[in-house]
Amino acid sequence: MSLPSYFARRSFHYGWIVAGLTFLSLLIAAGIRATPGVFMVPLEQEFGWSRATISLAISMNLVLYGLIGPFAATVYGQLGIRRTMVFALAFLGVGVSLTTLMSQPWQLVLVWGIIVGCGTGVIALVLGAIVANRWFVERRGLVVGVLTASTATGQLVFLPLLASIVERFGWRYAALAIAGVTFLIIPLIALFMRDRPSQIGLRPFGDTNETSLEVQESQQSQVNPITTTLNALRMGIREQDFWLLAGSFFICGASTNGLIGTHLIPACIDYGIPEVKAAGLLAVMGMFDFVGTTASGWLSDKLSTACASQRWNNRYLLCWYYGLRGLSLIFLPFSFASFHGLSIFAIFYGLDWIATVPPTVRLTTQVFGKEKAGVMFGWIVAAHQIGAATATLTAGTMRTTLGTYMQAFILSGVLCILAALFVLRIGQNPITGKPQTAST
């Protein structure tokens, strides 16, 4: 008996298995993306590279992570989720392993910036959005929230462990450890991952529509992925809502993994806080973000399959998230005076670290439609990562030039407060050629 049949006989939808495997993959990719914060000071000490130089490689990684996302969305449709994930994880494991051999700045840019950046670009937030849209009608917002929270969980699981390995054995052993975990999950993906519900005779969880999915999927398979991706961008840049979504997500990236994810541990070390304890702070943020992002997915979800209304207006959710995040970042430079103050920041900031993703996915789907949502969200994530790369390089340069991160933290906080204002305009103007939904 096949595994899907086994679960079907027990009234357990296989989509939850797919979501679980996706969560594990995103968790590992998140752990890899979080490692630069742990490696920055050891690389600075061993090779004498400035934080601006190291930040350049990390920013390139973040840019590629973002720019590959839209094309990954269409490649998933062409090659299938399972094959693409296996290839990307293998590529990622090899890239992380190669970091142990580098000794020059250009090698850091090549290996961490380009190779690892490309690998993480495929195993990204876009994957979670595609899985949720393909496999779920009911609980879609909740699934997006949980899959998004894998980024936080990756920090929770890996950062304290990696920091401890770096402290005891060196950064190379930490790199090999995370690469080994990446290789371990590949057989699970190859054996149990499925591309679509129709492959195993299922409909998406909660789908009561009788229309055949096979016709729709066969039409999608005939579309050129590059053309589809670029056409989506051309359509998006003509619409105000795309700029509002992409602009707010640019600030989201600049204020999360670009700034805090990369520079909080080095900033803590500047204030005499040990690396393992600083990594523990990020882990605490990850724990609270898992709660906050999962709750955000639930809040952004529909009340029921028969009702188009969400529990909370997604624009208002984003306004609250960006506003509160901005205030917490403005508070951060003054919290380094005590570990108690940093702990308060970690809890407050952690609750909405990436809680912005579920309402952003919802708004993208409502504005552009379910079929275009994956590709359009891919471009919006690209803006997120360009923002992250900008913040990474800017903060690293400011630290090298000014000797402090204070200005970078406060600037990011002000940007978040601006984002809280203009997200309220999302969905207020109808998209050309598409009727606008009533609830956003």
Side-chain angles (χ1 to χ4, degrees):
M1 181 186 298
S2 67
L3 190 63
S5 300
Y6 174 84
F7 285 115
R9 290 183 60 178
R10 284 156 178 78
S11 301
F12 184 85
H13 197 277
Y14 198 76
W16 296 108
I17 301 297
V18 172
L21 292 170
T22 305
F23 180 89
L24 287 175
S25 300
L26 291 172
L27 182 148
I28 291 171
I32 292 172
R33 290 197 306 274
T35 55
V38 179
F39 288 175
M40 184 174 288
V41 172
L43 291 175
E44 185 181 34
Q45 292 173 345
E46 179 173 339
F47 298 113
W49 301 338
S50 70
R51 294 192 193 178
T53 298
I54 299 169
S55 296
L56 174 63
I58 298 171
S59 65
M60 181 173 292
N61 174 293
L62 293 170
V63 168
L64 286 174
Y65 169 82
L67 292 180
I68 285 174
F71 297 95
T74 49
V75 170
Y76 277 122
Q78 294 290 301
L79 297 182
I81 292 176
R82 177 169 58 178
R83 279 190 290 179
T84 307
M85 286 178 69
V86 167
F87 174 78
L89 287 167
F91 191 71
L92 197 53
V94 170
V96 174
S97 300
L98 288 174
T99 61
T100 61
L101 303 177
M102 64 188 184
S103 59
Q104 299 294 325
W106 69 265
Q107 294 169 342
L108 175 67
V109 172
L110 173 64
V111 176
W112 195 268
I114 297 176
I115 297 177
V116 177
C118 289
T120 54
V122 178
I123 308 296
L125 292 176
V126 174
L127 171 61
I130 290 173
V131 167
N133 277 325
R134 283 190 185 180
W135 284 86
F136 294 88
V137 173
E138 283 188 24
R139 305 289 185 267
R140 185 182 294 157
L142 177 63
V143 172
V144 170
V146 172
L147 293 181
T148 301
S150 62
T151 298
T153 310
Q155 290 183 172
L156 176 66
V157 171
F158 289 110
L159 274 182
L161 176 62
L162 291 173
S164 179
I165 294 174
V166 169
E167 186 176 69
R168 295 185 180 187
F169 305 106
W171 65 270
R172 289 179 177 82
Y173 285 92
L176 292 175
I178 191 73
V181 173
T182 304
F183 287 122
L184 283 177
I185 197 178
I186 292 176
L188 292 176
I189 301 298
L191 289 173
F192 301 118
M193 195 68 185
R194 297 293 183 271
D195 296 334
R196 299 177 183 272
S198 59
Q199 280 187 330
I200 51 178
L202 295 176
R203 300 193 69 81
F205 181 78
D207 185 11
T208 57
N209 192 343
E210 297 299 326
T211 304
S212 173
L213 294 174
E214 284 76 6
V215 174
Q216 182 186 56
E217 291 171 6
S218 65
Q219 291 174 344
Q220 291 175 346
S221 65
Q222 298 172 6
V223 178
N224 184 289
I226 305 299
T227 301
T228 299
T229 304
L230 294 177
N231 284 341
L233 178 62
R234 279 193 287 268
M235 181 191 78
I237 60 177
R238 295 195 295 266
E239 305 294 344
Q240 175 181 294
D241 283 334
F242 175 79
W243 289 106
L244 291 172
L245 287 161
S248 61
F249 233 40
F250 176 97
I251 294 173
C252 180
S255 57
T256 53
N257 55 336
L259 181 63
I260 299 300
T262 303
H263 289 288
L264 182 62
I265 292 177
C268 287
I269 294 173
D270 286 347
Y271 283 88
I273 299 171
E275 187 168 21
V276 174
K277 186 177 285 190
L281 274 176
L282 280 173
V284 168
M285 289 183 199
M287 180 174 62
F288 280 93
D289 184 66
F290 183 85
V291 175
T293 305
T294 302
S296 177
W298 182 82
L299 289 171
S300 71
D301 225 340
K302 293 180 180 180
L303 290 171
S304 67
T305 54
C307 179
S309 298
Q310 276 72 50
R311 291 184 173 88
W312 276 69
N313 186 302
N314 287 287
R315 297 193 307 274
Y316 295 158
L317 285 176
L318 286 179
C319 180
W320 275 103
Y321 296 155
Y322 283 117
L324 293 173
R325 183 189 299 172
L327 293 175
S328 67
L329 285 169
I330 292 172
F331 166 76
L332 175 59
F334 309 100
S335 69
F336 285 105
S338 69
F339 193 75
H340 178 70
L342 277 176
S343 299
I344 294 174
F345 167 79
I347 295 170
F348 189 76
Y349 178 90
L351 284 170
D352 86 344
W353 178 309
I354 47 174
T356 53
V357 175
T360 301
V361 171
R362 270 288 180 187
L363 288 167
T364 302
T365 302
Q366 290 164 0
V367 168
F368 295 105
K370 180 180 176 181
E371 295 308 315
K372 293 185 176 70
V375 178
M376 297 307 299
F377 185 63
W379 283 116
I380 292 166
V381 170
H384 181 281
Q385 294 310 115
I386 292 172
T390 302
T392 295
L393 185 57
T394 301
T397 302
M398 290 177 113
R399 168 58 179 76
T400 300
T401 305
L402 304 174
T404 178
Y405 284 109
M406 175 180 285
Q407 293 86 349
F409 291 139
I410 293 176
L411 176 61
S412 184
V414 172
L415 288 174
C416 286
I417 292 173
L418 292 176
L421 298 177
F422 67 70
V423 293
L424 295 174
R425 295 295 307 161
I426 297 172
Q428 298 302 294
N429 296 317
I431 293 294
T432 305
K434 179 185 178 298
Q436 192 73 6
T437 55
S439 174
T440 54

